[in-house]
Amino acid sequence: MLHLLVFGCASDQPVQHGSEAPEAFEGEWLRTFPSRSPNRFPPFALDGAGNAYVTHDFEGTVDFGDGPVTSQGSSPNPYVVKVDASGGFVWKAVVPFGGVSIGRMAVAPDGSLAITGGVTGDAEVFGRTVSTHLRSHGFVAVIDPDGSPRFVRMIGEEYGGIGVGALRVTDDGHVAIAGQLHGALSMEGTTYEGDRDPALLVLDRAGAPVLVNTWAGGEIESVYAPLLQSTA
């Protein structure tokens, strides 16, 4: 089994990939986590207290720090693990069965974790059962500081959705997603349509939309940063 290596040190680049631990390591701590996709660099997040949030996928039986857990189904199972500033286990969230990918993560000031990704087919995503009829649909989820899922919200559906380009959590706990809207997406009874147009979606702490904006024909690269800054 390949392993994802997480280094605890003063560097701004705390994550490295490899199949075994380095011969010489001068950081404060090192943890290894399972990885079944060696060519994919996984999302990684740090909060102000030095806690690290790691995600990848695994097969078989693994002990993340609170006892062994066995993957389900025939495909690798995605997971998210939080470790503290000393590398100690805090919590884990495992997505049973395959068909789920995790794309981006961002930490809120209160220590909750926002996650975006995609799901294909029938799956349980952080406690919510989702059926996408074999199409890939996007989702956003928030996990509370104690590891409990707060909400899972689909941001993709049969005929369209938002492709996530940037993610952040504002000081008041709102989740801001900047990306491209393609096709049609329904939010609270309103349908939004786009042809890969820049879009901004802001969800409140319960996952309800408080802002949905699209810019037809806008330049993607020039829109992401200003959109996210406007939610600060």
Side-chain angles (χ1 to χ4, degrees), residues 10 12 16 28 34 51 58-59 68 101 112 124 145 153 176 194 210:
D12 291 334
Q16 300 289 335
E28 297 176 2
N51 299 305
F58 78 102
E59 286 183 311
S101 61
S112 56
E124 181 181 309
R153 172 111 196 188
V210 295

Short mmCIF file of all heavy atoms in Angstrom, two decimals, residues 10 12 16 28 34 51 58-59 68 101 112 124 145 153 176 194 210:
data_model
loop_
_atom_site.label_atom_id
_atom_site.label_comp_id
_atom_site.label_asym_id
_atom_site.label_seq_id
_atom_site.Cartn_x
_atom_site.Cartn_y
_atom_site.Cartn_z
N ALA A 10 7.86 23.68 10.44
CA ALA A 10 7.63 25.11 10.26
C ALA A 10 7.48 25.50 8.80
O ALA A 10 7.16 26.63 8.48
CB ALA A 10 8.79 25.89 10.88
N ASP A 12 6.12 26.05 4.96
CA ASP A 12 4.82 26.39 4.39
C ASP A 12 4.30 25.28 3.48
O ASP A 12 3.20 25.34 2.99
CB ASP A 12 4.91 27.68 3.58
CG ASP A 12 5.14 28.89 4.47
OD1 ASP A 12 4.74 28.83 5.65
OD2 ASP A 12 5.73 29.87 3.99
N GLN A 16 4.15 15.91 1.63
CA GLN A 16 4.98 15.27 0.62
C GLN A 16 4.37 13.92 0.29
O GLN A 16 3.64 13.33 1.08
CB GLN A 16 6.41 15.06 1.13
CG GLN A 16 7.14 16.34 1.51
CD GLN A 16 7.50 17.19 0.31
OE1 GLN A 16 7.64 16.66 -0.79
NE2 GLN A 16 7.63 18.47 0.51
N GLU A 28 8.94 18.32 13.33
CA GLU A 28 8.47 18.07 14.68
C GLU A 28 7.77 16.73 14.81
O GLU A 28 7.83 16.09 15.85
CB GLU A 28 7.52 19.21 15.09
CG GLU A 28 8.22 20.56 15.15
CD GLU A 28 7.25 21.68 15.46
OE1 GLU A 28 6.06 21.39 15.68
OE2 GLU A 28 7.68 22.84 15.49
N PRO A 34 -2.96 6.12 4.45
CA PRO A 34 -3.03 5.29 3.24
C PRO A 34 -3.42 6.10 2.02
O PRO A 34 -4.12 7.10 2.10
CB PRO A 34 -4.12 4.27 3.60
CG PRO A 34 -4.96 4.96 4.62
CD PRO A 34 -4.01 5.80 5.42
N ASN A 51 -3.82 22.58 13.65
CA ASN A 51 -4.43 21.31 13.28
C ASN A 51 -4.34 21.11 11.78
O ASN A 51 -4.47 22.06 11.00
CB ASN A 51 -5.90 21.27 13.71
CG ASN A 51 -6.07 21.43 15.20
OD1 ASN A 51 -5.50 20.68 15.99
ND2 ASN A 51 -6.86 22.42 15.61
N PHE A 58 -8.62 4.82 0.69
CA PHE A 58 -7.95 3.63 1.19
C PHE A 58 -8.76 2.39 0.85
O PHE A 58 -9.96 2.46 0.56
CB PHE A 58 -7.73 3.72 2.70
CG PHE A 58 -8.96 3.42 3.52
CD1 PHE A 58 -9.12 2.19 4.14
CD2 PHE A 58 -9.96 4.37 3.68
CE1 PHE A 58 -10.24 1.90 4.90
CE2 PHE A 58 -11.10 4.10 4.43
CZ PHE A 58 -11.24 2.85 5.04
N GLU A 59 -8.08 1.24 0.90
CA GLU A 59 -8.72 -0.07 0.77
C GLU A 59 -8.19 -0.97 1.86
O GLU A 59 -7.07 -0.80 2.35
CB GLU A 59 -8.44 -0.69 -0.60
CG GLU A 59 -9.19 -0.07 -1.75
CD GLU A 59 -8.93 -0.78 -3.06
OE1 GLU A 59 -7.74 -1.00 -3.39
OE2 GLU A 59 -9.90 -1.13 -3.76
N PRO A 68 -9.23 0.11 14.25
CA PRO A 68 -9.28 -0.28 12.84
C PRO A 68 -10.63 -0.02 12.20
O PRO A 68 -11.68 -0.14 12.83
CB PRO A 68 -8.97 -1.78 12.88
CG PRO A 68 -9.35 -2.21 14.26
CD PRO A 68 -9.06 -1.05 15.15
N SER A 101 -15.46 11.67 -4.72
CA SER A 101 -14.14 12.29 -4.74
C SER A 101 -14.19 13.60 -3.98
O SER A 101 -15.22 14.30 -3.98
CB SER A 101 -13.69 12.54 -6.18
OG SER A 101 -14.58 13.42 -6.85
N SER A 112 -14.50 24.54 11.99
CA SER A 112 -15.27 23.64 11.14
C SER A 112 -14.60 23.57 9.77
O SER A 112 -13.85 24.46 9.37
CB SER A 112 -16.72 24.09 11.03
OG SER A 112 -16.81 25.43 10.56
N GLU A 124 -23.24 7.26 0.20
CA GLU A 124 -23.48 7.96 1.46
C GLU A 124 -22.36 8.97 1.64
O GLU A 124 -21.19 8.59 1.78
CB GLU A 124 -23.52 6.99 2.63
CG GLU A 124 -23.79 7.68 3.97
CD GLU A 124 -23.81 6.70 5.12
OE1 GLU A 124 -24.52 5.68 5.02
OE2 GLU A 124 -23.09 6.95 6.11
N PRO A 145 -16.30 21.21 14.29
CA PRO A 145 -14.98 20.98 14.90
C PRO A 145 -14.83 19.64 15.60
O PRO A 145 -13.71 19.12 15.72
CB PRO A 145 -14.86 22.15 15.89
CG PRO A 145 -15.69 23.23 15.29
CD PRO A 145 -16.86 22.52 14.66
N ARG A 153 -24.83 19.51 0.95
CA ARG A 153 -25.71 20.16 -0.02
C ARG A 153 -25.21 19.85 -1.43
O ARG A 153 -24.02 20.01 -1.73
CB ARG A 153 -25.69 21.67 0.19
CG ARG A 153 -26.43 22.45 -0.90
CD ARG A 153 -27.67 23.07 -0.39
NE ARG A 153 -28.57 23.48 -1.46
CZ ARG A 153 -29.66 24.19 -1.25
NH1 ARG A 153 -30.01 24.54 -0.02
NH2 ARG A 153 -30.45 24.51 -2.24
N ALA A 176 -18.34 30.15 0.85
CA ALA A 176 -18.35 30.84 -0.44
C ALA A 176 -17.66 29.97 -1.48
O ALA A 176 -16.53 29.50 -1.27
CB ALA A 176 -17.65 32.19 -0.33
N GLY A 194 -26.50 28.72 -17.01
CA GLY A 194 -25.24 29.29 -17.48
C GLY A 194 -24.58 28.39 -18.50
O GLY A 194 -24.89 27.21 -18.59
N VAL A 210 -27.62 32.04 0.53
CA VAL A 210 -27.89 33.44 0.85
C VAL A 210 -27.51 34.35 -0.31
O VAL A 210 -27.89 35.51 -0.34
CB VAL A 210 -27.16 33.88 2.13
CG1 VAL A 210 -27.67 33.11 3.33
CG2 VAL A 210 -25.65 33.68 1.99
#
